[in-house]
Amino acid sequence: MLGRTANGLFWMFRYLERAENTGRLLDAGLRMALTRDIQTAEEEWRSVISTLGLKAIYEASNDGYDGTSVWNFVLRDKANPANVREMMGAVRSNARTARTNLSSQAWEAVNENWMKLDKLLSRPVSQNGVGEVITRLRRTGTQVHGAMDGTMLRNEGYHFGRAGTFIERAESTARILDMKYYLLLPSLSYVGSSLDSGQWEQVLRSVAGASAYSWLNAGQIEARGIVQFLVLDDSFPRSLAFCRNALRTNLGELARLHGKEGSSNDLMREADSRISDLSVDAIFDQGLHQFLTDFMARNAAIGEAIANDYRFLA
Amino acid sequence: MTGVSPQNFDEMKDAGGETRPAYGDYCNWYDQQDAALLKRKDAEADESFRRTGITFNVYGEDEAEERLIPFDMVPRIITAPEWRRLTRGIEQRVRALNAFLYDLYHRQEIIRAGRLPERLLRGNEAWLQNMVGLAPPGGVYTHIVGIDLVRTGPDDFFVLEDNARTPSGVSYMLENRETMMAMFPDLFSKVAVEPVSNYPRRLARSLAACVPPKFEGGRKVNVAVLTPGIFNSAYFEHAFLADQMGAELVEGSDLRVVGGKVQMRTTRGFEPVDVLYRRVDDDYLDPLTFEPDSVLGVPGIMDVYRDGGITIANAPGTGVADDKAIYSFMPEIVEFYTGEKPLLPNVETWRCADKESLKYVLDNLEELVVKEVHGSGGYGMLIGPTATKKEIKAFRAKLEANPMNYIAQPTLSLSTCPIYTNKGLSPRHVDLRPFVLVSPNGIEITPGGLTRVALKRGSLVVNSSQGGGTKDTWVLKD
């Protein structure tokens, strides 16, 4: 496969994941805004913007943090170069670049959803319309992954796409957790002060994990449980551990198909050694924020190493 | 020429309104269809093309805008005997074209024999001095050719244009059929139509048969499609063909000359390309040889080509044959190289370079179609009968200033074939572009082709850039 095509697949799936996760983050914010007082809602919208790393450019063109302004900025505002409409455009143009290595079902799933979203996002999104956008973003992910799972050869292209998915997903979960890490400072829960369960539901919701968490923890929302779930639980498909396991498999398959390992495999092993057999206590001991910062840096480095190992760019 | 002239040949109905045999089965089927259903299907067709992404970009318009070439759901139907006649004529013409190109870039016998004026080459922008004396692998210049045909009567087909450079549109031939079969599966159980779907396989086989002399064997032949990139108006077709052939779709930046071979940058390192089906123009192929600023091409590819390390399809310099002044000599060319009379006639053509012809053309501008010698896509032409006095006056000035640059043809009464409208079937002018594959193993013509249709009533311009649409083209089985 061409290096450029591999790059296209990798980024197509990264942007797809990013668009879907952004949609979830808005969904969680929306939920919060509908159920809490105005001040809390504003806080939530502020944290959505911060989590996405858009604070500076948002504040340059907006006065306050009301829902309509936030979701329009995130979804479609041209002042925000990382808006969801652009992301979906990037999904599609990368898919076009890699068209010969996508099954027609996967391509059509991308193209059809892009058409729908592009139309939905061509005009300002109202309070009544935002739900449809969020649902469509979720469906896009589901349909593209479904088509990929059901129709694509398990060749290198598949693994480049999956690697993109899991690098992006791990990054997203880590960011969301990092944004709220202060709420999890163990001192608070040790002294038994109750966590703001609404805040935590919001976090869990933004990684599609609210009901999974409840199943596992009988509804008990507490700091250790949440860190265990989002970082270490390898049965939850958006946890850091799950993403790492999946990425390890994809990188292993790529090395096998190519008959040799590259620097990405080395970095993967090194990153593994930092997380395997880790306990929640150990994470708190080194500091959650420090842990997450280290995780994200390694995650990004693996992504760059893949691009190098497989000649994504000239 | 407003409205369809009563004399013009309609392919579905004869002058008495009776259905012609080619359309018999189709019309029986059509008459049994529920009007509301047809209306719904017609609306769905657009949606299906958009979903598959068969769109094209129009130059000069908003980059984000992608357009569909309108599809009409009434097929254009050709009978088996008609098709056999056409294929014989096309094959003869394509054979002559290849022999002609070989001769032009070698001994130029046709010029020595005084059958073609040398000035036609000097003034021809597609002429490539670098190709002189170079024999392309397998002796093939035009691996893929599209011959544009028009019809004026039951037995009267004419060649309007030869597309030997980079004929496009074959993806529409294939997707139009797919769409028709998805829309009306029952129709194909009632009418026996020759399939077109094996075109990509044939193309792959045909290209792989043209290995370059230095191909060392012992591995599979690597075929790649070279595209200018995702912003090119025909990118869909490039990706589509590469996908269907199982070939790599490459851009200039993926290719590099390494160790005397053209190689593509893969995830495993550089791998050789043996046959390059290029969809970029000659000028952009090699910045070292042609356009120095081009980023679409591959520096040094022409050296590798000359050295027998790669096959380029179509061969550089083939565009020389697309020139309309050359076209006007095609009857002589066919006779010169095949020793036979052309089976498919040209449209009568006046070369404005000749004094007498020029006078005739200037005297009859209102009746004629005048075209630029190097023009394509329906641009830069005058259609006398539909032009305003002002347009004719302006064109006359251009023509007088540079007569060499123009040829003229009579305004043909092109055949019509009905399109579906909300008010029922309505005749529109059509042309036909069959696709021809040439390899050392022979010439293959896919039964069917691209039918372009002028959607505006009475219009003779079928080009997609100017409001034309397409139809599925059926060749009936015997």
Side-chain angles (χ1 to χ4, degrees):
Chain A
M1 164 180 302
L2 294 176
R4 185 173 51 81
T5 310
N7 186 54
L9 286 165
F10 181 79
W11 282 100
M12 167 191 155
F13 279 96
R14 278 200 77 159
Y15 281 119
L16 179 69
E17 186 67 25
R18 195 174 290 179
E20 186 182 341
N21 291 337
T22 307
R24 268 186 230 286
L25 209 54
L26 289 178
D27 190 28
L30 195 62
R31 184 97 191 167
M32 201 70 176
L34 294 177
T35 52
R36 309 298 282 269
D37 61 86
I38 289 183
Q39 213 184 340
T40 322
E42 220 182 273
E43 260 331 292
E44 276 317 304
W45 287 125
R46 189 191 306 275
S47 104
V48 165
I49 289 288
S50 300
T51 307
L52 294 170
L54 299 173
K55 191 164 178 289
I57 56 167
Y58 179 84
E59 289 180 355
S61 55
N62 290 276
D63 295 330
Y65 282 93
D66 64 290
T68 317
S69 303
V70 167
W71 68 63
N72 275 292
F73 187 78
V74 169
L75 290 172
R76 58 181 300 277
D77 194 334
K78 288 208 167 73
N80 167 21
N83 69 56
V84 168
R85 196 177 181 197
E86 287 291 326
M87 282 179 206
M88 284 307 301
V91 171
R92 182 173 182 261
S93 67
N94 278 297
R96 286 188 87 198
T97 297
R99 176 65 190 83
T100 53
N101 284 272
L102 283 176
S103 64
S104 47
Q105 271 190 47
W107 158 251
E108 284 180 28
V110 169
N111 197 41
E112 213 174 338
N113 283 295
W114 169 81
M115 288 191 291
K116 288 186 175 139
L117 275 162
D118 203 60
K119 198 165 167 209
L120 286 174
L121 297 177
S122 63
R123 271 182 287 278
V125 180
S126 69
Q127 177 102 43
N128 287 331
V130 68
E132 190 184 350
V133 175
I134 289 166
T135 308
R136 178 53 60 189
L137 281 168
R138 221 166 28 219
R139 267 194 207 146
T140 304
T142 311
Q143 288 175 7
V144 177
H145 287 301
M148 187 192 195
D149 188 60
T151 59
M152 287 203 7
L153 286 177
R154 267 34 175 189
N155 58 11
E156 51 175 333
Y158 176 85
H159 294 292
F160 287 124
R162 297 299 272 178
T165 299
F166 289 111
I167 285 184
E168 184 67 32
R169 187 177 294 174
E171 153 101 18
S172 164
T173 300
R175 257 177 198 248
I176 289 170
L177 197 52
D178 195 34
M179 209 57 218
K180 304 273 173 161
Y181 84 95
Y182 59 90
L183 292 171
L184 280 176
L185 293 182
S187 56
L188 291 177
S189 47
Y190 286 163
V191 295
S193 71
S194 72
L195 281 170
D196 177 344
S197 64
Q199 293 264 1
W200 285 105
E201 262 180 48
Q202 195 260 7
V203 169
L204 290 170
R205 196 175 289 280
S206 58
V207 294
S211 72
Y213 178 87
S214 295
W215 269 93
L216 291 168
N217 295 279
Q220 287 289 316
I221 293 205
E222 48 99 21
R224 299 169 61 87
I226 284 168
V227 173
Q228 165 70 34
F229 181 65
L230 292 184
V231 177
L232 299 175
D233 189 335
D234 60 13
S235 68
F236 175 55
R238 311 192 92 82
S239 76
L240 302 188
F242 186 97
C243 293
R244 271 287 158 79
N245 287 344
L247 184 59
R248 187 185 315 108
T249 309
N250 296 129
L251 291 185
E253 280 301 294
L254 283 172
R256 188 181 64 77
L257 290 167
H258 285 256
K260 62 169 191 260
E261 292 201 335
S263 59
S264 54
N265 301 92
D266 294 339
L267 288 178
M268 186 74 218
R269 258 189 300 276
E270 214 180 293
D272 270 347
S273 69
R274 313 272 302 196
I275 192 174
S276 62
D277 301 327
L278 209 56
S279 67
V280 178
D281 287 331
I283 293 176
F284 279 130
D285 283 346
Q286 66 169 285
L288 180 58
H289 175 62
Q290 284 76 4
F291 169 80
L292 291 171
T293 308
D294 179 68
F295 180 91
M296 285 189 274
R298 287 173 190 281
N299 195 49
I302 294 171
E304 280 162 31
I306 295 173
N308 267 322
D309 288 348
Y310 299 102
R311 301 168 180 84
F312 280 10
L313 303 167
Chain B
M1 215 49 212
T2 49
V4 177
S5 79
Q7 292 86 13
N8 106 196
F9 177 78
D10 188 78
E11 302 194 3
M12 184 186 272
K13 304 279 182 191
D14 67 21
E18 292 297 312
T19 302
R20 294 184 196 277
Y23 287 81
D25 290 342
Y26 177 77
C27 287
N28 283 340
W29 172 88
Y30 185 87
D31 291 341
Q32 289 163 21
Q33 300 308 303
D34 171 37
L37 176 95
L38 287 173
K39 204 165 176 172
R40 205 184 69 227
K41 292 278 183 186
D42 186 49
E44 280 171 10
D46 246 32
E47 198 41 48
S48 129
F49 277 98
R50 284 205 189 274
R51 194 169 49 238
T52 359
I54 313 184
T55 52
F56 73 107
N57 307 347
V58 178
Y59 293 117
E61 293 195 9
D62 183 358
E63 200 173 55
E65 197 187 346
E66 294 175 12
R67 291 218 262 149
L68 288 179
I69 296 185
F71 166 74
D72 174 68
M73 67 185 189
V74 181
R76 197 268 185 86
I77 307 178
I78 298 165
T79 64
E82 283 168 350
W83 182 251
R84 273 194 296 274
R85 264 193 51 218
L86 285 181
T87 53
R88 280 195 294 271
I90 294 169
E91 201 179 316
Q92 179 197 47
R93 192 162 176 116
V94 168
R95 209 177 288 288
L97 270 175
N98 264 286
F100 172 59
L101 285 162
Y102 184 88
D103 186 34
L104 277 190
Y105 286 111
H106 292 83
R107 291 183 45 80
Q108 303 194 335
E109 304 279 5
I110 193 166
I111 294 174
R112 288 162 199 251
R115 306 285 288 274
L116 186 84
E118 200 192 353
R119 67 173 163 79
L120 285 192
L121 293 191
R122 283 200 306 273
N124 193 316
E125 286 162 17
W127 169 259
L128 280 188
Q129 194 60 38
N130 303 65
M131 285 297 290
V132 171
L134 197 158
V140 180
Y141 282 85
T142 58
H143 305 77
I144 301 110
V145 194
I147 303 284
D148 288 356
L149 303 172
V150 293
R151 185 177 197 179
T152 59
D155 296 314
D156 308 305
F157 285 91
F158 296 90
V159 177
L160 187 64
E161 216 167 87
D162 304 287
N163 296 281
R165 192 189 311 241
T166 34
S168 64
V170 76
S171 57
Y172 291 91
M173 170 179 89
L174 297 166
E175 284 293 328
N176 287 355
R177 178 64 54 83
E178 289 297 316
T179 305
M180 281 296 277
M181 293 200 295
M183 284 169 84
F184 306 114
D186 59 320
L187 177 53
F188 288 85
S189 63
K190 297 205 166 67
V191 190
V193 182
E194 293 282 356
V196 292
S197 59
N198 49 9
Y199 176 85
R201 257 198 314 281
R202 286 174 160 191
L203 173 61
R205 209 173 46 210
S206 181
L207 288 171
C210 295
V211 285
K214 287 211 169 156
F215 177 68
E216 61 277 23
R219 59 171 173 82
K220 96 177 183 13
V221 179
N222 285 335
V223 177
V225 178
L226 176 63
T227 172
I230 64 168
F231 297 112
N232 183 267
S233 64
Y235 180 78
F236 166 77
E237 177 158 304
H238 307 160
F240 178 86
L241 288 175
D243 188 36
Q244 300 269 308
M245 286 196 291
E248 287 293 354
L249 179 65
V250 301
E251 294 179 15
S253 64
D254 298 316
L255 300 179
R256 189 187 294 174
V257 176
V258 186
K261 284 279 305 177
V262 174
Q263 311 232 25
M264 53 188 172
R265 192 183 77 249
T266 76
T267 58
R268 293 161 200 274
F270 283 101
E271 283 179 23
V273 175
D274 305 303
V275 179
L276 189 64
Y277 175 21
R278 51 77 180 239
R279 297 291 297 256
V280 306
D281 286 342
D282 288 353
D283 284 351
Y284 302 105
L285 207 46
D286 186 346
L288 296 184
T289 310
F290 310 115
E291 281 288 321
D293 298 331
S294 166
V295 290
L296 302 179
V298 190
I301 190 176
M302 282 303 286
D303 292 334
V304 179
Y305 183 57
R306 208 168 289 123
D307 192 41
I310 191 166
T311 300
I312 299 177
N314 289 352
T318 50
V320 93
D322 290 1
D323 183 279
K324 293 193 178 67
I326 297 271
Y327 162 88
S328 70
F329 284 93
M330 274 311 283
E332 286 93 330
I333 290 170
V334 169
E335 231 182 304
F336 188 79
Y337 296 103
T338 65
E340 303 159 3
K341 289 276 175 210
L343 299 170
L344 273 174
N346 260 18
V347 176
E348 186 182 5
T349 303
W350 290 276
R351 304 172 194 125
C352 301
D354 301 339
K355 273 215 170 74
E356 265 172 47
S357 302
L358 178 63
K359 183 172 181 317
Y360 177 83
V361 173
L362 288 169
D363 290 347
N364 294 280
L365 272 182
E366 297 78 8
E367 321 275 301
L368 299 173
V369 177
V370 191
K371 299 174 176 174
E372 284 185 14
V373 173
H374 312 298
S376 68
Y379 291 105
M381 64 192 261
L382 175 84
I383 302 178
T386 59
T388 61
K389 284 219 159 66
K390 215 173 132 192
E391 283 166 340
I392 291 183
K393 197 175 163 219
F395 205 91
R396 181 185 299 277
K398 283 203 290 187
L399 179 54
E400 281 172 332
N402 189 9
M404 288 259 289
N405 199 32
Y406 297 93
I407 54 120
Q409 292 168 337
T411 309
L412 294 179
S413 102
L414 296 190
S415 63
T416 54
C417 174
I419 62 168
Y420 176 83
T421 73
N422 280 342
K423 294 187 192 114
L425 299 182
S426 176
R428 294 291 186 277
H429 293 295
V430 291
D431 79 352
L432 173 64
R433 177 180 293 176
F435 292 94
V436 189
L437 297 173
V438 185
S439 82
N441 302 333
I443 294 178
E444 286 186 290
I445 308 171
T446 301
L450 175 67
T451 291
R452 298 186 298 176
V453 52
L455 295 175
K456 237 180 20 210
R457 178 182 281 273
S459 165
L460 293 169
V461 184
V462 296
N463 302 78
S464 56
S465 50
Q466 301 194 34
T470 67
K471 282 171 168 293
D472 188 16
T473 308
W474 292 3
V475 172
L476 297 181
K477 286 186 176 161
D478 256 334

